[in-house]
PDB file of all heavy atoms in Angstrom:
ATOM      1  N   ARG A   1    -148.799 -54.767-130.835  1.00  0.00           N
ATOM      2  CA  ARG A   1    -148.751 -56.223-130.817  1.00  0.00           C
ATOM      3  C   ARG A   1    -147.465 -56.668-131.524  1.00  0.00           C
ATOM      4  O   ARG A   1    -147.146 -56.203-132.613  1.00  0.00           O
ATOM      5  CB  ARG A   1    -149.982 -56.786-131.526  1.00  0.00           C
ATOM      6  CG  ARG A   1    -150.199 -58.258-131.326  1.00  0.00           C
ATOM      7  CD  ARG A   1    -151.584 -58.681-131.765  1.00  0.00           C
ATOM      8  NE  ARG A   1    -152.630 -58.042-130.966  1.00  0.00           N
ATOM      9  CZ  ARG A   1    -153.913 -58.397-131.019  1.00  0.00           C
ATOM     10  NH1 ARG A   1    -154.305 -59.354-131.838  1.00  0.00           N
ATOM     11  NH2 ARG A   1    -154.797 -57.762-130.274  1.00  0.00           N
ATOM     12  N   GLU A   2    -146.741 -57.599-130.904  1.00  0.00           N
ATOM     13  CA  GLU A   2    -145.472 -58.041-131.458  1.00  0.00           C
ATOM     14  C   GLU A   2    -145.423 -59.547-131.634  1.00  0.00           C
ATOM     15  O   GLU A   2    -146.030 -60.310-130.893  1.00  0.00           O
ATOM     16  CB  GLU A   2    -144.309 -57.588-130.567  1.00  0.00           C
ATOM     17  CG  GLU A   2    -144.260 -58.223-129.193  1.00  0.00           C
ATOM     18  CD  GLU A   2    -143.005 -57.851-128.413  1.00  0.00           C
ATOM     19  OE1 GLU A   2    -142.199 -57.037-128.893  1.00  0.00           O
ATOM     20  OE2 GLU A   2    -142.830 -58.401-127.307  1.00  0.00           O
ATOM     21  N   PHE A   3    -144.643 -59.939-132.622  1.00  0.00           N
ATOM     22  CA  PHE A   3    -144.457 -61.353-132.957  1.00  0.00           C
ATOM     23  C   PHE A   3    -143.671 -62.059-131.861  1.00  0.00           C
ATOM     24  O   PHE A   3    -142.702 -61.523-131.323  1.00  0.00           O
ATOM     25  CB  PHE A   3    -143.717 -61.449-134.285  1.00  0.00           C
ATOM     26  CG  PHE A   3    -143.270 -62.825-134.653  1.00  0.00           C
ATOM     27  CD1 PHE A   3    -144.170 -63.751-135.139  1.00  0.00           C
ATOM     28  CD2 PHE A   3    -141.945 -63.199-134.504  1.00  0.00           C
ATOM     29  CE1 PHE A   3    -143.759 -65.025-135.477  1.00  0.00           C
ATOM     30  CE2 PHE A   3    -141.516 -64.459-134.836  1.00  0.00           C
ATOM     31  CZ  PHE A   3    -142.425 -65.380-135.333  1.00  0.00           C
ATOM     32  N   VAL A   4    -144.088 -63.302-131.573  1.00  0.00           N
ATOM     33  CA  VAL A   4    -143.377 -64.143-130.609  1.00  0.00           C
ATOM     34  C   VAL A   4    -142.799 -65.377-131.287  1.00  0.00           C
ATOM     35  O   VAL A   4    -141.601 -65.650-131.199  1.00  0.00           O
ATOM     36  CB  VAL A   4    -144.301 -64.555-129.447  1.00  0.00           C
ATOM     37  CG1 VAL A   4    -143.587 -65.523-128.512  1.00  0.00           C
ATOM     38  CG2 VAL A   4    -144.794 -63.327-128.684  1.00  0.00           C
ATOM     39  N   ALA A   5    -143.660 -66.139-131.966  1.00  0.00           N
ATOM     40  CA  ALA A   5    -143.218 -67.383-132.577  1.00  0.00           C
ATOM     41  C   ALA A   5    -144.212 -67.813-133.638  1.00  0.00           C
ATOM     42  O   ALA A   5    -145.375 -67.399-133.609  1.00  0.00           O
ATOM     43  CB  ALA A   5    -143.069 -68.484-131.526  1.00  0.00           C
ATOM     44  N   ALA A   6    -143.749 -68.636-134.569  1.00  0.00           N
ATOM     45  CA  ALA A   6    -144.624 -69.173-135.608  1.00  0.00           C
ATOM     46  C   ALA A   6    -144.198 -70.593-135.936  1.00  0.00           C
ATOM     47  O   ALA A   6    -143.035 -70.986-135.723  1.00  0.00           O
ATOM     48  CB  ALA A   6    -144.575 -68.310-136.864  1.00  0.00           C
ATOM     49  N   ILE A   7    -145.141 -71.365-136.472  1.00  0.00           N
ATOM     50  CA  ILE A   7    -144.876 -72.749-136.838  1.00  0.00           C
ATOM     51  C   ILE A   7    -145.598 -73.050-138.139  1.00  0.00           C
ATOM     52  O   ILE A   7    -146.719 -72.570-138.365  1.00  0.00           O
ATOM     53  CB  ILE A   7    -145.297 -73.706-135.708  1.00  0.00           C
ATOM     54  CG1 ILE A   7    -144.839 -75.124-135.986  1.00  0.00           C
ATOM     55  CG2 ILE A   7    -146.809 -73.644-135.462  1.00  0.00           C
ATOM     56  CD1 ILE A   7    -144.943 -76.045-134.748  1.00  0.00           C
ATOM     57  N   SER A   8    -144.971 -73.829-138.989  1.00  0.00           N
ATOM     58  CA  SER A   8    -145.573 -74.154-140.269  1.00  0.00           C
ATOM     59  C   SER A   8    -146.739 -75.122-140.099  1.00  0.00           C
ATOM     60  O   SER A   8    -146.903 -75.747-139.045  1.00  0.00           O
ATOM     61  CB  SER A   8    -144.522 -74.761-141.196  1.00  0.00           C
ATOM     62  OG  SER A   8    -144.008 -75.964-140.651  1.00  0.00           O
ATOM     63  N   ALA A   9    -147.527 -75.262-141.166  1.00  0.00           N
ATOM     64  CA  ALA A   9    -148.705 -76.114-141.117  1.00  0.00           C
ATOM     65  C   ALA A   9    -148.359 -77.558-140.751  1.00  0.00           C
ATOM     66  O   ALA A   9    -149.102 -78.219-140.019  1.00  0.00           O
ATOM     67  CB  ALA A   9    -149.417 -76.063-142.465  1.00  0.00           C
ATOM     68  N   SER A  10    -147.226 -78.034-141.233  1.00  0.00           N
ATOM     69  CA  SER A  10    -146.800 -79.405-140.953  1.00  0.00           C
ATOM     70  C   SER A  10    -146.109 -79.537-139.602  1.00  0.00           C
ATOM     71  O   SER A  10    -145.924 -80.634-139.106  1.00  0.00           O
ATOM     72  CB  SER A  10    -145.834 -79.874-142.038  1.00  0.00           C
ATOM     73  OG  SER A  10    -144.643 -79.098-141.992  1.00  0.00           O
ATOM     74  N   GLY A  11    -145.694 -78.405-139.041  1.00  0.00           N
ATOM     75  CA  GLY A  11    -144.964 -78.419-137.782  1.00  0.00           C
ATOM     76  C   GLY A  11    -143.461 -78.562-137.930  1.00  0.00           C
ATOM     77  O   GLY A  11    -142.733 -78.562-136.933  1.00  0.00           O
ATOM     78  N   ILE A  12    -142.975 -78.648-139.157  1.00  0.00           N
ATOM     79  CA  ILE A  12    -141.551 -78.876-139.386  1.00  0.00           C
ATOM     80  C   ILE A  12    -140.736 -77.607-139.165  1.00  0.00           C
ATOM     81  O   ILE A  12    -139.630 -77.644-138.618  1.00  0.00           O
ATOM     82  CB  ILE A  12    -141.334 -79.431-140.808  1.00  0.00           C
ATOM     83  CG1 ILE A  12    -141.925 -80.836-140.917  1.00  0.00           C
ATOM     84  CG2 ILE A  12    -139.846 -79.432-141.170  1.00  0.00           C
ATOM     85  CD1 ILE A  12    -141.842 -81.422-142.301  1.00  0.00           C
ATOM     86  N   ARG A  13    -141.268 -76.478-139.613  1.00  0.00           N
ATOM     87  CA  ARG A  13    -140.516 -75.223-139.523  1.00  0.00           C
ATOM     88  C   ARG A  13    -141.047 -74.351-138.389  1.00  0.00           C
ATOM     89  O   ARG A  13    -142.240 -74.266-138.171  1.00  0.00           O
ATOM     90  CB  ARG A  13    -140.626 -74.451-140.850  1.00  0.00           C
ATOM     91  CG  ARG A  13    -139.928 -75.125-142.019  1.00  0.00           C
ATOM     92  CD  ARG A  13    -140.075 -74.308-143.286  1.00  0.00           C
ATOM     93  NE  ARG A  13    -141.452 -74.331-143.758  1.00  0.00           N
ATOM     94  CZ  ARG A  13    -142.165 -73.252-144.028  1.00  0.00           C
ATOM     95  NH1 ARG A  13    -141.641 -72.045-143.843  1.00  0.00           N
ATOM     96  NH2 ARG A  13    -143.407 -73.360-144.485  1.00  0.00           N
ATOM     97  N   THR A  14    -140.125 -73.712-137.670  1.00  0.00           N
ATOM     98  CA  THR A  14    -140.485 -72.773-136.612  1.00  0.00           C
ATOM     99  C   THR A  14    -139.649 -71.507-136.735  1.00  0.00           C
ATOM    100  O   THR A  14    -138.584 -71.498-137.363  1.00  0.00           O
ATOM    101  CB  THR A  14    -140.270 -73.376-135.211  1.00  0.00           C
ATOM    102  OG1 THR A  14    -138.904 -73.770-135.066  1.00  0.00           O
ATOM    103  CG2 THR A  14    -141.172 -74.575-134.979  1.00  0.00           C
ATOM    104  N   LEU A  15    -140.146 -70.448-136.116  1.00  0.00           N
ATOM    105  CA  LEU A  15    -139.471 -69.152-136.149  1.00  0.00           C
ATOM    106  C   LEU A  15    -139.757 -68.462-134.828  1.00  0.00           C
ATOM    107  O   LEU A  15    -140.877 -68.539-134.324  1.00  0.00           O
ATOM    108  CB  LEU A  15    -139.998 -68.317-137.319  1.00  0.00           C
ATOM    109  CG  LEU A  15    -139.368 -66.955-137.558  1.00  0.00           C
ATOM    110  CD1 LEU A  15    -137.912 -67.110-137.977  1.00  0.00           C
ATOM    111  CD2 LEU A  15    -140.149 -66.194-138.631  1.00  0.00           C
ATOM    112  N   TYR A  16    -138.738 -67.778-134.282  1.00  0.00           N
ATOM    113  CA  TYR A  16    -138.890 -67.130-132.979  1.00  0.00           C
ATOM    114  C   TYR A  16    -138.368 -65.699-133.016  1.00  0.00           C
ATOM    115  O   TYR A  16    -137.399 -65.388-133.719  1.00  0.00           O
ATOM    116  CB  TYR A  16    -138.114 -67.890-131.908  1.00  0.00           C
ATOM    117  CG  TYR A  16    -138.624 -69.286-131.646  1.00  0.00           C
ATOM    118  CD1 TYR A  16    -138.076 -70.379-132.306  1.00  0.00           C
ATOM    119  CD2 TYR A  16    -139.656 -69.509-130.735  1.00  0.00           C
ATOM    120  CE1 TYR A  16    -138.542 -71.659-132.081  1.00  0.00           C
ATOM    121  CE2 TYR A  16    -140.121 -70.787-130.497  1.00  0.00           C
ATOM    122  CZ  TYR A  16    -139.571 -71.858-131.179  1.00  0.00           C
ATOM    123  OH  TYR A  16    -140.033 -73.131-130.945  1.00  0.00           O
ATOM    124  N   ALA A  17    -138.988 -64.855-132.204  1.00  0.00           N
ATOM    125  CA  ALA A  17    -138.425 -63.538-131.965  1.00  0.00           C
ATOM    126  C   ALA A  17    -137.147 -63.704-131.151  1.00  0.00           C
ATOM    127  O   ALA A  17    -137.042 -64.626-130.323  1.00  0.00           O
ATOM    128  CB  ALA A  17    -139.418 -62.667-131.201  1.00  0.00           C
ATOM    129  N   ASP A  18    -136.187 -62.820-131.375  1.00  0.00           N
ATOM    130  CA  ASP A  18    -134.919 -62.910-130.653  1.00  0.00           C
ATOM    131  C   ASP A  18    -135.127 -62.850-129.137  1.00  0.00           C
ATOM    132  O   ASP A  18    -134.387 -63.486-128.379  1.00  0.00           O
ATOM    133  CB  ASP A  18    -133.985 -61.779-131.089  1.00  0.00           C
ATOM    134  CG  ASP A  18    -133.434 -61.987-132.489  1.00  0.00           C
ATOM    135  OD1 ASP A  18    -133.509 -63.123-133.000  1.00  0.00           O
ATOM    136  OD2 ASP A  18    -132.939 -61.009-133.071  1.00  0.00           O
ATOM    137  N   SER A  19    -136.121 -62.111-128.712  1.00  0.00           N
ATOM    138  CA  SER A  19    -136.338 -61.905-127.282  1.00  0.00           C
ATOM    139  C   SER A  19    -136.786 -63.164-126.549  1.00  0.00           C
ATOM    140  O   SER A  19    -136.678 -63.233-125.321  1.00  0.00           O
ATOM    141  CB  SER A  19    -137.370 -60.795-127.065  1.00  0.00           C
ATOM    142  OG  SER A  19    -138.604 -61.130-127.684  1.00  0.00           O
ATOM    143  N   VAL A  20    -137.280 -64.172-127.273  1.00  0.00           N
ATOM    144  CA  VAL A  20    -137.773 -65.388-126.626  1.00  0.00           C
ATOM    145  C   VAL A  20    -136.992 -66.625-127.052  1.00  0.00           C
ATOM    146  O   VAL A  20    -137.228 -67.719-126.499  1.00  0.00           O
ATOM    147  CB  VAL A  20    -139.277 -65.604-126.901  1.00  0.00           C
ATOM    148  CG1 VAL A  20    -140.070 -64.371-126.510  1.00  0.00           C
ATOM    149  CG2 VAL A  20    -139.532 -65.990-128.350  1.00  0.00           C
ATOM    150  N   LYS A  21    -136.092 -66.465-127.986  1.00  0.00           N
ATOM    151  CA  LYS A  21    -135.346 -67.620-128.504  1.00  0.00           C
ATOM    152  C   LYS A  21    -134.575 -68.298-127.377  1.00  0.00           C
ATOM    153  O   LYS A  21    -133.908 -67.636-126.579  1.00  0.00           O
ATOM    154  CB  LYS A  21    -134.398 -67.150-129.605  1.00  0.00           C
ATOM    155  CG  LYS A  21    -133.963 -68.208-130.570  1.00  0.00           C
ATOM    156  CD  LYS A  21    -133.168 -67.596-131.726  1.00  0.00           C
ATOM    157  CE  LYS A  21    -134.026 -66.703-132.584  1.00  0.00           C
ATOM    158  NZ  LYS A  21    -133.289 -66.172-133.755  1.00  0.00           N
ATOM    159  N   GLY A  22    -134.700 -69.618-127.294  1.00  0.00           N
ATOM    160  CA  GLY A  22    -134.033 -70.379-126.257  1.00  0.00           C
ATOM    161  C   GLY A  22    -134.848 -70.530-124.989  1.00  0.00           C
ATOM    162  O   GLY A  22    -134.509 -71.331-124.122  1.00  0.00           O
ATOM    163  N   ARG A  23    -135.921 -69.762-124.849  1.00  0.00           N
ATOM    164  CA  ARG A  23    -136.783 -69.842-123.667  1.00  0.00           C
ATOM    165  C   ARG A  23    -138.180 -70.356-124.010  1.00  0.00           C
ATOM    166  O   ARG A  23    -138.800 -71.049-123.193  1.00  0.00           O
ATOM    167  CB  ARG A  23    -136.909 -68.465-123.016  1.00  0.00           C
ATOM    168  CG  ARG A  23    -135.599 -67.883-122.530  1.00  0.00           C
ATOM    169  CD  ARG A  23    -135.826 -66.605-121.724  1.00  0.00           C
ATOM    170  NE  ARG A  23    -136.455 -65.544-122.513  1.00  0.00           N
ATOM    171  CZ  ARG A  23    -137.608 -64.968-122.174  1.00  0.00           C
ATOM    172  NH1 ARG A  23    -138.263 -65.338-121.085  1.00  0.00           N
ATOM    173  NH2 ARG A  23    -138.115 -64.005-122.944  1.00  0.00           N
ATOM    174  N   PHE A  24    -138.700 -69.998-125.166  1.00  0.00           N
ATOM    175  CA  PHE A  24    -140.042 -70.399-125.582  1.00  0.00           C
ATOM    176  C   PHE A  24    -139.944 -71.458-126.684  1.00  0.00           C
ATOM    177  O   PHE A  24    -139.032 -71.430-127.514  1.00  0.00           O
ATOM    178  CB  PHE A  24    -140.808 -69.198-126.133  1.00  0.00           C
ATOM    179  CG  PHE A  24    -141.191 -68.154-125.114  1.00  0.00           C
ATOM    180  CD1 PHE A  24    -140.680 -68.163-123.822  1.00  0.00           C
ATOM    181  CD2 PHE A  24    -142.074 -67.146-125.458  1.00  0.00           C
ATOM    182  CE1 PHE A  24    -141.035 -67.196-122.895  1.00  0.00           C
ATOM    183  CE2 PHE A  24    -142.448 -66.167-124.561  1.00  0.00           C
ATOM    184  CZ  PHE A  24    -141.910 -66.195-123.274  1.00  0.00           C
ATOM    185  N   THR A  25    -140.942 -72.352-126.712  1.00  0.00           N
ATOM    186  CA  THR A  25    -141.027 -73.363-127.754  1.00  0.00           C
ATOM    187  C   THR A  25    -142.455 -73.443-128.274  1.00  0.00           C
ATOM    188  O   THR A  25    -143.389 -73.633-127.486  1.00  0.00           O
ATOM    189  CB  THR A  25    -140.602 -74.742-127.221  1.00  0.00           C
ATOM    190  OG1 THR A  25    -139.267 -74.666-126.706  1.00  0.00           O
ATOM    191  CG2 THR A  25    -140.648 -75.784-128.335  1.00  0.00           C
ATOM    192  N   ILE A  26    -142.588 -73.319-129.579  1.00  0.00           N
ATOM    193  CA  ILE A  26    -143.901 -73.469-130.212  1.00  0.00           C
ATOM    194  C   ILE A  26    -144.016 -74.876-130.777  1.00  0.00           C
ATOM    195  O   ILE A  26    -143.038 -75.428-131.309  1.00  0.00           O
ATOM    196  CB  ILE A  26    -144.121 -72.400-131.306  1.00  0.00           C
ATOM    197  CG1 ILE A  26    -145.558 -72.426-131.819  1.00  0.00           C
ATOM    198  CG2 ILE A  26    -143.117 -72.555-132.451  1.00  0.00           C
ATOM    199  CD1 ILE A  26    -145.898 -71.255-132.730  1.00  0.00           C
ATOM    200  N   SER A  27    -145.189 -75.473-130.658  1.00  0.00           N
ATOM    201  CA  SER A  27    -145.427 -76.803-131.205  1.00  0.00           C
ATOM    202  C   SER A  27    -146.904 -76.909-131.562  1.00  0.00           C
ATOM    203  O   SER A  27    -147.696 -76.031-131.224  1.00  0.00           O
ATOM    204  CB  SER A  27    -145.030 -77.887-130.195  1.00  0.00           C
ATOM    205  OG  SER A  27    -145.819 -77.780-129.015  1.00  0.00           O
ATOM    206  N   ARG A  28    -147.256 -77.972-132.248  1.00  0.00           N
ATOM    207  CA  ARG A  28    -148.647 -78.161-132.627  1.00  0.00           C
ATOM    208  C   ARG A  28    -148.974 -79.642-132.698  1.00  0.00           C
ATOM    209  O   ARG A  28    -148.091 -80.484-132.921  1.00  0.00           O
ATOM    210  CB  ARG A  28    -148.948 -77.478-133.965  1.00  0.00           C
ATOM    211  CG  ARG A  28    -148.251 -78.073-135.168  1.00  0.00           C
ATOM    212  CD  ARG A  28    -148.427 -77.182-136.395  1.00  0.00           C
ATOM    213  NE  ARG A  28    -149.818 -77.117-136.825  1.00  0.00           N
ATOM    214  CZ  ARG A  28    -150.305 -76.167-137.621  1.00  0.00           C
ATOM    215  NH1 ARG A  28    -149.513 -75.198-138.055  1.00  0.00           N
ATOM    216  NH2 ARG A  28    -151.578 -76.179-137.982  1.00  0.00           N
ATOM    217  N   ASP A  29    -150.249 -79.945-132.519  1.00  0.00           N
ATOM    218  CA  ASP A  29    -150.773 -81.299-132.651  1.00  0.00           C
ATOM    219  C   ASP A  29    -151.951 -81.193-133.611  1.00  0.00           C
ATOM    220  O   ASP A  29    -153.050 -80.779-133.210  1.00  0.00           O
ATOM    221  CB  ASP A  29    -151.197 -81.840-131.284  1.00  0.00           C
ATOM    222  CG  ASP A  29    -151.635 -83.286-131.340  1.00  0.00           C
ATOM    223  OD1 ASP A  29    -152.024 -83.750-132.425  1.00  0.00           O
ATOM    224  OD2 ASP A  29    -151.614 -83.940-130.289  1.00  0.00           O
ATOM    225  N   ASN A  30    -151.729 -81.550-134.862  1.00  0.00           N
ATOM    226  CA  ASN A  30    -152.790 -81.393-135.863  1.00  0.00           C
ATOM    227  C   ASN A  30    -153.958 -82.338-135.615  1.00  0.00           C
ATOM    228  O   ASN A  30    -155.080 -82.060-136.022  1.00  0.00           O
ATOM    229  CB  ASN A  30    -152.216 -81.578-137.265  1.00  0.00           C
ATOM    230  CG  ASN A  30    -151.409 -80.369-137.716  1.00  0.00           C
ATOM    231  OD1 ASN A  30    -151.449 -79.304-137.093  1.00  0.00           O
ATOM    232  ND2 ASN A  30    -150.646 -80.527-138.786  1.00  0.00           N
ATOM    233  N   ALA A  31    -153.703 -83.447-134.952  1.00  0.00           N
ATOM    234  CA  ALA A  31    -154.797 -84.378-134.639  1.00  0.00           C
ATOM    235  C   ALA A  31    -155.753 -83.777-133.608  1.00  0.00           C
ATOM    236  O   ALA A  31    -156.936 -84.131-133.570  1.00  0.00           O
ATOM    237  CB  ALA A  31    -154.241 -85.696-134.128  1.00  0.00           C
ATOM    238  N   LYS A  32    -155.224 -82.857-132.799  1.00  0.00           N
ATOM    239  CA  LYS A  32    -156.035 -82.209-131.764  1.00  0.00           C
ATOM    240  C   LYS A  32    -156.404 -80.775-132.125  1.00  0.00           C
ATOM    241  O   LYS A  32    -157.014 -80.069-131.317  1.00  0.00           O
ATOM    242  CB  LYS A  32    -155.289 -82.220-130.428  1.00  0.00           C
ATOM    243  CG  LYS A  32    -155.058 -83.603-129.860  1.00  0.00           C
ATOM    244  CD  LYS A  32    -154.356 -83.532-128.503  1.00  0.00           C
ATOM    245  CE  LYS A  32    -154.170 -84.923-127.911  1.00  0.00           C
ATOM    246  NZ  LYS A  32    -153.493 -84.876-126.585  1.00  0.00           N
ATOM    247  N   ASN A  33    -156.010 -80.340-133.315  1.00  0.00           N
ATOM    248  CA  ASN A  33    -156.303 -78.963-133.744  1.00  0.00           C
ATOM    249  C   ASN A  33    -155.815 -77.942-132.728  1.00  0.00           C
ATOM    250  O   ASN A  33    -156.528 -76.973-132.409  1.00  0.00           O
ATOM    251  CB  ASN A  33    -157.801 -78.762-133.999  1.00  0.00           C
ATOM    252  CG  ASN A  33    -158.258 -79.311-135.336  1.00  0.00           C
ATOM    253  OD1 ASN A  33    -157.532 -80.060-135.985  1.00  0.00           O
ATOM    254  ND2 ASN A  33    -159.457 -78.962-135.739  1.00  0.00           N
ATOM    255  N   THR A  34    -154.613 -78.148-132.206  1.00  0.00           N
ATOM    256  CA  THR A  34    -154.125 -77.298-131.127  1.00  0.00           C
ATOM    257  C   THR A  34    -152.675 -76.897-131.374  1.00  0.00           C
ATOM    258  O   THR A  34    -151.867 -77.716-131.827  1.00  0.00           O
ATOM    259  CB  THR A  34    -154.237 -78.020-129.774  1.00  0.00           C
ATOM    260  OG1 THR A  34    -155.604 -78.374-129.546  1.00  0.00           O
ATOM    261  CG2 THR A  34    -153.764 -77.124-128.637  1.00  0.00           C
ATOM    262  N   VAL A  35    -152.372 -75.649-131.054  1.00  0.00           N
ATOM    263  CA  VAL A  35    -150.994 -75.163-131.080  1.00  0.00           C
ATOM    264  C   VAL A  35    -150.634 -74.734-129.661  1.00  0.00           C
ATOM    265  O   VAL A  35    -151.491 -74.257-128.913  1.00  0.00           O
ATOM    266  CB  VAL A  35    -150.819 -74.011-132.096  1.00  0.00           C
ATOM    267  CG1 VAL A  35    -151.683 -72.815-131.725  1.00  0.00           C
ATOM    268  CG2 VAL A  35    -149.368 -73.602-132.222  1.00  0.00           C
ATOM    269  N   TYR A  36    -149.377 -74.937-129.307  1.00  0.00           N
ATOM    270  CA  TYR A  36    -148.914 -74.680-127.948  1.00  0.00           C
ATOM    271  C   TYR A  36    -147.767 -73.668-127.945  1.00  0.00           C
ATOM    272  O   TYR A  36    -147.032 -73.537-128.919  1.00  0.00           O
ATOM    273  CB  TYR A  36    -148.422 -75.963-127.294  1.00  0.00           C
ATOM    274  CG  TYR A  36    -149.428 -77.085-127.295  1.00  0.00           C
ATOM    275  CD1 TYR A  36    -149.389 -78.077-128.282  1.00  0.00           C
ATOM    276  CD2 TYR A  36    -150.411 -77.162-126.318  1.00  0.00           C
ATOM    277  CE1 TYR A  36    -150.306 -79.109-128.292  1.00  0.00           C
ATOM    278  CE2 TYR A  36    -151.337 -78.193-126.318  1.00  0.00           C
ATOM    279  CZ  TYR A  36    -151.276 -79.161-127.310  1.00  0.00           C
ATOM    280  OH  TYR A  36    -152.192 -80.180-127.316  1.00  0.00           O
ATOM    281  N   LEU A  37    -147.605 -73.017-126.814  1.00  0.00           N
ATOM    282  CA  LEU A  37    -146.434 -72.189-126.582  1.00  0.00           C
ATOM    283  C   LEU A  37    -145.922 -72.489-125.179  1.00  0.00           C
ATOM    284  O   LEU A  37    -146.552 -72.107-124.193  1.00  0.00           O
ATOM    285  CB  LEU A  37    -146.751 -70.700-126.725  1.00  0.00           C
ATOM    286  CG  LEU A  37    -145.536 -69.769-126.631  1.00  0.00           C
ATOM    287  CD1 LEU A  37    -144.617 -69.958-127.833  1.00  0.00           C
ATOM    288  CD2 LEU A  37    -145.960 -68.299-126.509  1.00  0.00           C
ATOM    289  N   GLN A  38    -144.822 -73.213-125.112  1.00  0.00           N
ATOM    290  CA  GLN A  38    -144.177 -73.500-123.830  1.00  0.00           C
ATOM    291  C   GLN A  38    -143.246 -72.349-123.503  1.00  0.00           C
ATOM    292  O   GLN A  38    -142.334 -72.043-124.281  1.00  0.00           O
ATOM    293  CB  GLN A  38    -143.395 -74.811-123.907  1.00  0.00           C
ATOM    294  CG  GLN A  38    -142.636 -75.157-122.640  1.00  0.00           C
ATOM    295  CD  GLN A  38    -143.551 -75.468-121.467  1.00  0.00           C
ATOM    296  OE1 GLN A  38    -144.542 -76.185-121.618  1.00  0.00           O
ATOM    297  NE2 GLN A  38    -143.230 -74.944-120.291  1.00  0.00           N
ATOM    298  N   MET A  39    -143.466 -71.727-122.357  1.00  0.00           N
ATOM    299  CA  MET A  39    -142.684 -70.555-121.970  1.00  0.00           C
ATOM    300  C   MET A  39    -141.919 -70.873-120.688  1.00  0.00           C
ATOM    301  O   MET A  39    -142.534 -71.127-119.646  1.00  0.00           O
ATOM    302  CB  MET A  39    -143.608 -69.356-121.754  1.00  0.00           C
ATOM    303  CG  MET A  39    -144.482 -69.051-122.958  1.00  0.00           C
ATOM    304  SD  MET A  39    -145.460 -67.554-122.740  1.00  0.00           S
ATOM    305  CE  MET A  39    -146.516 -68.066-121.384  1.00  0.00           C
TER     306      MET A  39
END
């Protein structure tokens, strides 16, 4: 299992694996208790 992306609790900070950087986007909606990965 390998890391793809991460996002902080507030959603301000993100981190990506080099292999997906520029193609994938992580985001979250705390009001909906949901995290997303746009690929």
